[in-house]
Amino acid sequence: MYFDSHAHLDDQRFDADREEILAALPAQGVGLIMNIGCDLKSSLQSVALAHQYPFVYAAVGSHPDDAAQLDEARLTLYRQLCADERVKAIGEIGLDYHYEDPTRDVQLPAFRKQLELARELGLPVIVHEREAHADGMELVRQFPEVTGVFHCYSGSLEQAKELVKRGWYIGFTGVITFKNARKAVEVAEWLPLDRILIETDCPYMAPEPHRGRRNDSRLVPLVAAKLAEIKGLSLEEMGEITTENARRLFRI
Ligand code: NI
């Protein structure tokens, strides 16, 4: 069985065939999904999907793109949503200095406030961190009680070592199947088996041979297959190990 630990199945690109895709997943071995919020609308949609499908769980939060919207009223709404038993994490939250929109002085306090919420509620976090490695790690160090996953990992081996030491998990998308994925492969080679998560990040990041097309959770076994090859395990073993890891992190 596979656990897609990061999906955006609420995305409008699935409006035409969302039900068809979701209905087919358990039969294809994709037995658990974490659907991720990026703003208020997608957080609410994630919770709704999690109530509609027993194998879908929800994360709520504001992505760095949405950081300017994270005021006290919004935090209160997220806090209320987290009381729902289907909500298992805060995310995705973090820093994106590739598209520095809004600017980092807006992104940093939004990330910090959501880490504070995770600490207060005792929930794990799902972190989006792109080209913001130093500031991302600085925040991680300031919240030793909070752990979670750095999703679609793009950091160094050095950074992965520190995250693992601090109790964090590392998430891999279809990017690890790309020809130029040298850095992610190097991290996966080193990473202890009990810290690996697989994810699609659908509709983005489709693995080879689907690169560039719309992704969905049915393709998460291709990510597991690449990691199985790197770790010298069977596909089935990698599916079971990463499922167990995600269940442990999200307490499912
Ligand atoms: Ni995402």
Side-chain angles (χ1 to χ4, degrees):
M1 180 174 111
Y2 305 96
F3 191 146
D4 183 357
S5 65
H6 193 117
H8 299 279
L9 289 163
D10 57 287
D11 191 280
Q12 59 179 7
R13 271 161 277 191
F14 295 113
D15 282 353
D17 57 358
R18 181 177 300 108
E19 286 179 20
E20 191 187 316
I21 290 171
L22 276 155
L25 287 171
Q28 286 166 328
V30 183
L32 288 164
I33 292 169
M34 181 60 68
N35 203 77
I36 311 291
C38 295
D39 53 20
L40 183 58
K41 184 170 170 236
S42 59
S43 295
L44 289 166
Q45 285 172 329
S46 291
V47 177
L49 274 180
H51 278 275
Q52 208 178 335
Y53 296 92
F55 52 90
V56 176
Y57 290 86
V60 303
S62 283
H63 184 282
D65 290 354
D66 189 54
Q69 311 307 318
L70 194 89
D71 54 13
E72 284 305 316
R74 177 67 70 84
L75 270 172
T76 299
L77 285 172
Y78 287 155
R79 185 181 287 106
Q80 287 166 352
L81 282 176
C82 287
D84 188 301
E85 59 177 8
R86 306 292 297 175
V87 176
K88 299 293 187 185
I90 309 256
E92 56 188 295
I93 62 176
L95 302 169
D96 194 320
Y97 294 174
H98 181 76
Y99 301 107
E100 207 187 315
D101 177 25
T103 53
R104 59 189 76 185
D105 59 308
V106 177
Q107 293 185 32
L108 279 162
F111 187 24
R112 177 186 298 280
K113 281 188 179 139
Q114 293 179 97
L115 286 166
E116 284 168 0
L117 183 63
R119 182 173 61 191
E120 172 196 323
L121 300 176
L123 284 172
V125 295
I126 295 153
V127 171
H128 170 107
E129 185 267 282
R130 190 168 179 204
E131 295 174 27
H133 308 315
D135 284 353
M137 289 310 292
E138 189 47 41
L139 266 294
V140 162
R141 291 182 199 114
Q142 288 175 22
F143 288 85
E145 311 90 339
V146 178
T147 62
V149 54
F150 265 52
H151 107 93
C152 195
Y153 189 71
S154 61
S156 64
L157 178 58
E158 213 50 47
Q159 185 183 357
K161 286 181 175 172
E162 182 175 351
L163 284 167
V164 164
K165 210 169 94 189
R166 292 178 174 275
W168 288 69
Y169 292 71
I170 304 284
F172 295 100
T173 60
V175 169
I176 198 158
T177 68
F178 299 171
K179 274 205 178 70
N180 56 356
R182 191 186 47 79
K183 233 166 76 175
V185 169
E186 185 194 16
V187 170
E189 280 169 350
W190 170 81
L191 194 61
L193 281 174
D194 66 353
R195 300 305 178 86
I196 305 177
L197 298 191
I198 54 169
E199 53 169 303
T200 54
D201 198 16
C202 66
Y204 317 103
M205 307 295 178
E208 293 288 2
H210 306 275
R211 186 173 181 177
R213 296 209 281 271
R214 187 191 73 169
N215 193 8
D216 71 64
S217 297
R218 290 175 293 194
L219 299 182
V220 80
L222 292 172
V223 179
K226 180 66 188 182
L227 287 161
E229 178 196 315
I230 292 168
K231 292 301 212 183
L233 296 172
S234 71
L235 175 57
E236 198 189 356
E237 284 170 319
M238 190 50 75
E240 293 308 321
I241 287 167
T242 50
T243 295
E244 200 182 302
N245 292 345
R247 294 184 90 123
R248 188 186 320 115
L249 174 62
F250 299 126
R251 297 184 209 119
I252 288 167

